[in-house]
Amino acid sequence: MSSLVSIGGARLKVIGLNPQHVSRSSETRLPGRATFTGMDYQKTGRGPHEVYLEAMTVPHLLGGLDALGLLQAHHERQDTVRYIRLERNYLGRNLGDVVITELHVDEDHFHPFTGIGRKVNVEISLVFVGDK
């Protein structure tokens, strides 16, 4: 199994669009107000839970533009898609439903015949939606 991360129909693999870096952030809303005895805090729920991925490919050698096309389509349509990540023993863990909020694509060293960069870097920002 070569898929490391799946975002909807886009498969980020060892050969192809390869994930290089993943970071997560989340917040809990806890507004406070001053009282005579100190501070009074109220739990008002969770804030956004976000994941940031960086991936890269050398498309003329490794492919990966099909996965990039699927990511762009999911982003433009604002699709709610599954975020699945490979864990130990080849277990694919469903981490929840996400929406792609930002998608940055950088191309370097354009190929003279295709006009596509010989190296393509992708940054993906996901936000979890739903119950998870």
Side-chain angles (χ1 to χ4, degrees), residues 48-119:
H49 179 193
E50 299 173 326
V51 173
Y52 304 96
L53 288 113
E54 294 177 12
M56 68 84 65
T57 187
V58 183
H60 298 94
L61 299 175
L62 303 176
L65 294 181
D66 53 343
L68 179 56
L70 286 167
L71 288 171
Q72 289 171 328
H74 288 316
H75 176 58
E76 290 169 4
R77 292 191 308 247
Q78 299 177 350
D79 292 338
T80 299
V81 295
R82 290 283 156 108
Y83 173 50
I84 300 171
R85 187 163 172 193
L86 184 68
E87 291 187 351
R88 65 176 164 245
N89 298 326
Y90 299 105
L91 173 67
R93 183 170 178 216
N94 177 10
L95 298 175
D97 293 335
V98 295
V99 173
I100 300 171
T101 57
E102 293 182 38
L103 182 65
H104 301 277
V105 180
D106 295 320
E107 299 180 37
D108 291 327
H109 308 294
F110 298 117
H111 193 280
F113 301 124
T114 63
I116 298 171
R118 295 174 198 244
K119 182 179 174 187

